[in-house]
Amino acid sequence: MVDVDYSYVNCRTALSLSRLPGLYYSLNPYFGCEHGCVYCYSRSVFRDREVALSWGRFVKAKSNILDVLSREVTRKPPRVVGVSTVTDPYQPYESRLQLTRRCLEMLSRHNFPVSIQTKSALVLRDLDLIKPDNFDVGVTFTTMDPGLASRLEPRASRPDARANVLEELASRHVKTWIFLGPIIPYVNDREDSISQIIEIASKTKSRLLFDKLNLRPWVLESMRPFMESECPGVWDRLPGLVGGKSDYWASLSSLIRKICANDNVSCESAFPSKS
């Protein structure tokens, strides 16, 4: 069991401009994430080696985010807010602090559309806030195999619990989507593994976004122990398999689109310019 260091930090802004497709703002109530996903690209965002190599073992709650947000929602135009983009808004610490919930309450009162992305079943706690007219919710999946998921994403909710999130939200007519990724060569790229996730998308009428492994700085380094244990001999081949316009990724993308078409699932590459 990995010890997680919890602390507090102040933020200068709550609603940051986002460069992600479909999002105007990003809101991250926490700096750091305790899910400990071995592939997480967020470790590279801050361009700090110490932060990158300790990512997954610390969480800093933004203690003043509610005060900052209360000012910004009265000054900034109500555009789509992504919650969250470099951390999970429903990581376990949120069950104690409820910063995400209180931010959502404030955004709702000021009519900001909200797009939530999470790997946590804790999002169901906030069903009273998540209304179909102003929210969509995306759930990230890498695999439906609980053993593999526990090695890839050791402190995130189990895959079956995430599937239940989508089923519950869909039953309440909330717009849902699946982020299938990252797809890692020889780890979670088998057709049967991908088909299981697409089947959930079909059942819940969720749109599906898929993405390959993103080898930003320090990601490859952080994945090495996992890859050498899980599939020896593949680690040093990863850059060629997922970089540029690889034949591997072109073939896998075609397979995903074919399965989605057969299951009547709307799907697209999460970052088409990089595919």
Side-chain angles (χ1 to χ4, degrees):
M1 187 69 175
V2 175
D3 289 330
V4 178
D5 181 33
Y6 300 101
S7 60
Y8 293 89
V9 66
N10 283 335
C11 61
R12 289 179 292 180
T13 185
L15 296 174
S16 302
L17 292 178
S18 174
R19 291 181 290 180
L20 294 175
L23 304 178
Y24 191 84
Y25 303 111
S26 63
L27 185 146
N28 293 279
Y30 302 92
F31 173 53
C33 183
E34 57 194 299
H35 281 166
C37 304
V38 299
Y39 52 75
C40 185
Y41 78 89
S42 295
R43 69 182 74 245
S44 73
V45 170
F46 305 97
R47 302 178 184 179
D48 183 303
R49 181 177 178 83
E50 183 178 352
V51 168
L53 298 183
S54 60
W55 194 264
R57 300 195 299 273
F58 73 89
V59 183
K60 299 178 187 292
K62 297 180 180 179
S63 56
N64 66 332
I65 194 169
L66 297 170
D67 291 335
V68 175
L69 183 60
S70 68
R71 295 192 296 271
E72 292 183 345
V73 292
T74 63
R75 299 199 309 258
K76 295 186 176 185
R79 308 280 177 80
V80 178
V81 181
V83 181
S84 297
T85 56
V86 289
T87 186
D88 197 304
Y90 287 101
Q91 58 184 294
Y93 203 24
E94 165 64 15
S95 65
R96 293 162 52 188
L97 299 189
Q98 299 195 26
L99 289 181
T100 296
R101 178 177 175 85
R102 293 160 72 188
C103 285
L104 293 183
E105 289 172 337
M106 201 175 302
L107 291 170
S108 294
R109 284 199 302 272
H110 290 84
N111 297 313
F112 279 73
V114 176
S115 181
I116 295 170
Q117 185 174 1
T118 185
K119 295 186 181 85
S120 175
L122 181 58
V123 66
L124 293 180
R125 179 202 64 190
D126 293 342
L127 286 174
D128 60 316
L129 299 177
I130 300 171
K131 304 300 183 184
D133 56 348
N134 229 28
F135 282 82
D136 66 71
V137 178
V139 177
T140 299
F141 289 86
T142 51
T143 177
M144 291 306 296
D145 178 344
L148 177 57
S150 71
R151 298 191 295 278
L152 278 171
E153 308 148 339
R155 292 177 292 282
S157 292
R158 288 170 51 99
D160 56 347
R162 298 183 220 176
N164 181 62
V165 166
L166 290 173
E167 291 171 9
E168 182 63 36
L169 289 166
S171 74
R172 295 168 180 260
H173 308 291
V174 175
K175 182 180 179 182
T176 56
W177 47 281
I178 286 175
F179 187 93
L180 168 55
I183 301 174
I184 306 168
Y186 302 100
V187 174
N188 62 336
D189 60 348
R190 296 190 320 274
E191 182 174 352
D192 61 332
S193 175
I194 290 168
S195 294
Q196 289 177 335
I197 296 169
I198 293 174
E199 184 178 337
I200 296 168
S202 178
K203 181 179 180 181
T204 58
K205 296 182 171 54
S206 300
R207 184 168 61 109
L208 184 132
L209 304 176
F210 61 92
D211 193 30
K212 61 186 175 182
L213 178 66
N214 190 333
L215 290 180
R216 292 187 179 186
W218 300 299
V219 172
L220 188 59
E221 185 176 354
S222 73
M223 289 191 64
R224 184 170 188 166
F226 169 84
M227 292 300 299
E228 291 185 339
S229 171
E230 199 75 23
C231 37
V234 175
W235 178 80
D236 57 353
R237 296 171 54 201
L238 283 179
L241 290 168
V242 301
K245 302 287 185 178
S246 72
D247 291 339
Y248 163 85
W249 183 246
S251 175
L252 190 57
S253 296
S254 295
L255 174 63
I256 293 169
R257 294 180 193 278
K258 179 182 177 181
I259 299 171
C260 284
N262 290 341
D263 286 359
N264 198 30
V265 170
S266 172
C267 82
E268 60 189 281
S269 173
F271 303 101
S273 63
K274 297 180 181 179
S275 297

